[in-house]
Amino acid sequence: MDEILLSCSNVSKSYGGVAAVRAVGLELRAGEILGLIGPNGAGKTTLVDVITGQQTADTGVIRIGTVSLTGPPSRRARLAGFARTFQHPQLALDMTVRENILIGAVPDRFSSPWRVLASAFSGAARPATPEIDDRITDLAAELNISALDRMCADLTLGEQRLVEVARALLRGPTVLLLDEPFAGGDPRGVEGMIHALTRIVERGCGVLVVDHNVDIVASLVDRLVLMDQGQVVFDGLPTAAMASQEMRTVYFGSGT
Amino acid sequence: MPVQLWVSVVELGCFAGLIALGFFLVLRGADVFMFALGPLAMFGAMFGAFQVSRNGWPLPIAALIGVAIAVALSGLTELLIVRPIHRRTGGQENPSIVAIVAILFALEQLAGTLFGRTPLPGTPFWSAQFRWGEAVISGQSIVLVAVTVLAFAGVALWLRRSANGRMLRAVGDNEHAARTLGVPVDRIRLIAFCLAGLLAGVAGSLFAAKAGVSFTSGLQWTLVGFLAVIVGGLGNVWAPLVGAVLVATLQTWSVFEFGHAMRDYLTFAVAFLFFAFRPKGIFQTKVRI
Amino acid sequence: MTTRTTPVAARGTSPLARHRWAVEAVAAAVFALALVAYGSGASFRQDYVVLICTYSLLALGMYIPYIMSGSLSLAYNAYLGIGAYACGLISTRAGWSSLWGVPIGIVLSAAIAVVLGLATRRLTGFYLAGVTLLFAVAFQVFLLDRVSLTGGPVGMPVRRPHAFGYTFTRYDIMIGAVVLVWIVGLLLSRLRQSPFGVVVRLRKDVPQVVESSGISSGTIGVVSLAVGAAIGSVGGSLFGMMGGVAQPESFGLHIIFLAIFMPLLGGQRSPWGAVIGAVLVVVFTFELHILSDAGTLFFAIAILLVLRFAPLGLLGLGTPLLRLLTRLRMGRTPGGEGS
């Protein structure tokens, strides 16, 4: 089996007495697509936020390789080679698609205060970045994103999600977190995302897909983790997951 | 500190408390820091002082109209500027702040143009003087204290007992949710702005008698009220008053002990320390889930 | 219906290639020349031009942190004041050319901006605005109070700058100020389009994205503030050298308000909007004698109108106009893409 890229052990997080995530353990391997599913309120998004550092976990350890992850999101993203998309697409709506994607290509230029200052000066001296533009253009073509100079406000939800994927991929991540990539998308958006996912896999990074659209996710992933009420209740092959008792209990509330 | 200075502390504390209560209401009801309240208080006070000293109007009429103007301007601020901008930007914070700062600036300039750029003297409502030990207490300060207590008690009662008062908090916490639940958000916001205007107008016309009022007083008044809110927090209706009295004590004491400059350094330092160590003020809102 | 046939942008054409830097530089230069021509008249006009340039640098200094990055850290009177007083102190106390005050002011104000920025890094919105205004008040009080250092209410003289045995005239300072605004404006306009500018602007709307991309949003904010403070400080130095004096009353809170509004009045999409706003402020307050005392009031009303009805500012009004004109022209040209 491939090496473990990301592992969570015993991660818990509660808000004011309500446990959103309880003692969750999870492993993601290189080249694997892992589906994290569960009904609304199962704790999926909280888990993603805890992994990326948007929230701090109450207990538990999150490791990338053998390094334990701590600190603000920016530090974790740098250490872990994380990239993520958001449940509600986070795009500057009055900026172009290209500008929104561009940030994925440049984190190296902002890794210390001095480098930030230097990039301000070099930006004023030479604003154009043809080599980055080419990378953006190629990636956009690969993901079927058209018209890079449109404002993000003019995009459909599905297109906005694709722009987020492009932004995340441009970083060349080792671990990619897709937070509800299929939610609210029209058929065309879902189709575009499935296409994108096949391209992502070719790059060999580990992918964690969080969604509650069980059928789509199960058809795409190598392994399924089912969460309910903050806990992992099933972890295994998608076919086994779909046939499992736990799946029936969680989604149909039938039998015990 | 001499006893007389404690009288000043009470006066300044009550005044800043009234302004801070206005901030509290708008923060609770519209999630906006209404920086223009100080200038509204100034505008009402300058109107009153101008009509009394230049045109010989009787004080009660001049003051009443001054307060009414403050209420009207506060309501118009919400209706004509803040609400449309709030809607257009989908509730972003910065455009609302800039709009309110623009109103603050416009009110200062309007007052300067209409009532002149020199300070005007305020007239006390009750000019009696009482001796109490070594201190002299003016009738005006008794009026100010009485009005402050009444205002706080009234607002506390209103928030607890009236339907509008209870809805106020819901709107400030989550406007979207409140709207979905059928709360008349627009009306509640407008009420919050008008009440704040009323408090500011009353505070300004009562406090002007102490040290006079000029078109630049507004910003200072805003900053004192701001500090009272920072120190007191928003956890409780009375929190702004406690914050205001603490701020007034600190300011009066530091002027007495070290002079005026130290007051302003300390003011900044206190705001800064509270943000660093107690960002929600002394009375924190209880977390409810 | 969105059309799916739109071709993917061709490789090798940077979107910046289409931005006509030369046109922008020349247009701004023409404008600069007009300013110089205006300032070549009566002596008081030179003061106006330098005041325009000072306000421009102030507004340009706020452009990165405030307009691009959305930070309401407002202690800009301090940065301007430091620039002016640095020139005053270095020329009267040390007897050096007051030009040395420029780099000293830059370093000092940037350092203070960094400290203030770090101290307030967890604050946003109203609270950041309020606490930085308190700092601004404390700074002005400091100028009034520390008589031994700052000269108190009367301020301190700033000697005419000299270099290599040549003492600059007021006219020279005016030319220098105009050239400086031209350069800073152009540089900021380029900066805005560069990766740095894009990241800073993204920080305003989607700070989580900046963080999750591995970039520290706080560091970006602090560096923006430092750069802005440095630009503002240069404006203050110019103002001091031109007026020959650094006084507390020049660095009160009123200039912060002016600075907040200038870019909004002119237009936020380009640093030149800030410059246009600066010109309008000076024209409103000093040049329109019919308004006399009410000039600032008219400016304030203009701001409210712009905020309410023209959120993109005056330059923003120009864009639809330009689009309309192009469309009309295209409609008439044979073979043009009529719509």
Side-chain angles (χ1 to χ4, degrees), chain C residues 215-261:
Chain C
I215 299 173
S216 162
S217 164
T219 307
I220 299 275
V222 168
V223 171
S224 308
L225 282 174
V227 173
I231 295 174
S233 165
V234 174
S237 296
L238 270 177
F239 185 72
M241 287 192 265
M242 187 66 179
V245 67
Q247 282 176 316
E249 62 168 25
S250 314
F251 307 108
L253 298 196
H254 64 280
I255 59 169
I256 297 180
F257 292 126
L258 295 180
I260 298 178
F261 303 139

Side-chain angles (χ1 to χ4, degrees), chain B residues 16 18-29 32-38 196 199 221-227 229 234:
Chain B
L18 285 173
I19 301 277
L21 184 60
F23 285 145
F24 174 88
L25 283 174
V26 184
L27 271 171
R28 266 302 166 79
V32 163
F33 215 115
M34 177 61 177
F35 280 135
L37 279 187
L199 289 167
W221 292 356
T222 287
L223 290 177
V224 173
F226 172 77
L227 200 61
V229 170
L234 298 172

Side-chain angles (χ1 to χ4, degrees), chain A residues 73-74 77-78 90 94 98-100 107 109-110 119-120 123-125 127-129 133-134 137-138 149 159 167 171, chain C residues 4 9 11-12 14-16 18 187 190-191 194-196 198 201-202 205-206 208-209 211-215 219-220:
Chain A
S74 53
R78 272 200 308 276
Q90 297 287 314
D94 60 351
R98 187 191 298 275
E99 287 174 321
N100 270 282
R109 303 185 185 196
F110 297 89
S119 77
T129 47
D133 283 329
D134 286 348
T137 309
D138 292 345
D149 295 311
E159 288 173 312
R167 177 173 71 199
R171 285 194 58 209
Chain C
R4 295 285 142 174
R11 286 192 54 128
S14 161
L16 282 168
R18 270 171 277 141
L187 286 180
R190 293 169 71 84
L191 181 85
S194 75
F196 176 85
V198 169
R201 283 185 287 145
L202 285 172
D205 286 348
V206 284
Q208 309 99 299
V209 169
E211 278 284 325
S212 70
S213 300
I215 299 173
T219 307
I220 299 275

Side-chain angles (χ1 to χ4, degrees), chain B residues 33 35 80 84 88 93-94 97-99 101-102 105-106 109-110 117 219 223 226 230 261 264-265 268 271-272 275-276, chain C residues 66 70 72 119 122-123 125-127 130-131 134-135 137-138 141-142 145 253 257 261 264 293 296-297 300 307-308 311:
Chain B
F33 215 115
F35 280 135
L80 298 183
R88 184 181 68 216
E93 204 175 21
N94 282 7
I97 300 176
V98 171
V101 171
F105 185 69
Q109 295 305 324
L110 187 63
R117 289 171 196 263
L219 185 61
L223 290 177
F226 172 77
I230 298 316
D264 292 301
Y265 302 154
F268 168 67
F272 184 71
F275 276 127
Chain C
Y66 163 56
L72 277 168
R122 279 189 295 171
L123 299 178
F126 291 103
Y127 298 98
V131 81
L134 288 173
F135 178 82
V137 172
V141 168
F142 173 81
D145 184 55
L253 298 196
F257 292 126
F261 303 139
L264 302 183
D293 225 18
T296 323
L297 175 61
L307 283 179
R308 175 69 184 82

Side-chain angles (χ1 to χ4, degrees), chain B residues 10 22 30 48 58 61 66 80 89 96 113 126 132 135 153 155 160 166 175 180 182-183 198 201 208 225 242 246 251:
Chain B
V10 171
I61 293 180
L80 298 183
T89 57
S96 294
T113 308
W126 186 18
W132 183 59
V155 169
R160 195 166 309 155
R166 283 199 296 261
E175 188 182 312
T180 324
V183 175
L198 176 68
V242 176
L246 287 176
Q251 292 202 337

Side-chain angles (χ1 to χ4, degrees), chain B residues 70-90:
Chain B
V71 175
L73 285 176
S74 187
L76 288 177
T77 297
E78 156 71 355
L79 286 180
L80 298 183
I81 307 288
V82 179
R83 182 185 297 170
I85 289 176
H86 180 77
R87 289 232 176 105
R88 184 181 68 216
T89 57

